[in-house]
Amino acid sequence: MRKFLIVASTIAMFMAGLVSAWAAEITASITYIDVQARIIVIDHRAFHIPKSIKIGAFKVGDQVTVVYEIVNGQLKVVSIKIG
């Protein structure tokens, strides 16, 4: 049992590393915002904004840098900053 837990822990750490390895970054202007759906469109791609980020701080035309991950085929924002 102990051996199984060690192997499972090692696999879990490896998989966690893979998830962060898929993060990407884009810098472009916001072309569309849907506050209710928590979606912004940048460079013809829809990004889903988590509740931890205040979407009201952004407006169409803002130049932003977005760090995102692909989760279940959707672009999920990890962080976003103006400028």
Side-chain angles (χ1 to χ4, degrees):
M1 182 69 167
R2 183 176 176 178
K3 194 179 217 181
F4 172 78
L5 291 174
I6 292 171
V7 170
S9 297
T10 303
I11 291 171
M13 289 188 310
F14 177 76
M15 294 303 288
L18 285 179
V19 170
S20 63
W22 289 104
E25 184 177 289
I26 184 172
T27 300
S29 295
I30 298 173
T31 55
Y32 176 80
I33 299 176
D34 184 336
V35 176
Q36 293 293 87
R38 302 196 59 79
I39 294 172
I40 62 170
V41 175
I42 302 169
D43 197 29
H44 306 289
R45 293 184 249 174
F47 293 86
H48 296 267
I49 307 293
K51 291 182 180 180
S52 61
I53 296 175
K54 295 181 181 182
I55 195 168
F58 305 98
K59 62 184 184 299
V60 172
D62 281 348
Q63 180 85 7
V64 293
T65 298
V66 176
V67 175
Y68 65 95
E69 296 176 337
I70 300 173
V71 178
N72 297 327
Q74 295 182 339
L75 304 174
K76 303 282 186 174
V77 173
V78 174
S79 68
I80 183 171
K81 64 180 178 176
I82 296 175

